Amino acid sequence: MVLVHCTSDHRTGREITARISAGVRTEMGWVDAHPPLVLRFQRLDGRRDAADNARRLLWRKNPAKRYLAVTDVPVKFCNHPRA
């Protein structure tokens, strides 16, 4: 499974950070298969949350034009809760 944790910056919310990692979900939690990739980008649509903005940027309908070219495993986009 590929997991994309998304957060927006605390001050203005304009910059989104996506932490992309492949791994396995076990009873103990998430286990990364490799060190995560971190992507920072400007918010595309202010009406949507961070996960929806990352999905629009990385996961296009046409598989040939996707930035995140994963076809064999599920991809989950989620908002990271603020601490």
Side-chain angles (χ1 to χ4, degrees):
M1 176 179 209
V2 176
L3 186 60
V4 183
H5 275 284
C6 304
T7 57
S8 58
D9 64 343
H10 294 287
R11 287 188 287 150
T12 62
R14 291 184 184 162
E15 184 176 276
I16 295 175
T17 303
R19 181 185 175 272
I20 306 166
S21 63
V24 178
R25 186 175 303 279
T26 65
E27 294 175 2
M28 307 250 326
W30 180 258
V31 178
D32 285 329
H34 61 82
L37 304 170
V38 178
L39 174 67
R40 288 188 174 88
F41 61 94
Q42 295 296 317
R43 181 179 294 274
L44 302 173
D45 188 349
R47 299 169 294 179
R48 299 184 184 267
D49 61 8
D52 286 337
N53 275 278
R55 185 179 298 112
R56 288 184 68 198
L57 178 70
L58 298 172
W59 197 256
R60 296 183 179 185
K61 290 182 182 179
N62 183 355
K65 293 184 177 182
R66 286 182 183 165
Y67 291 109
L68 190 59
V70 176
T71 57
D72 298 337
V73 296
V75 177
K76 182 178 178 183
F77 291 85
C78 60
N79 287 311
H80 190 69
R82 295 185 187 231

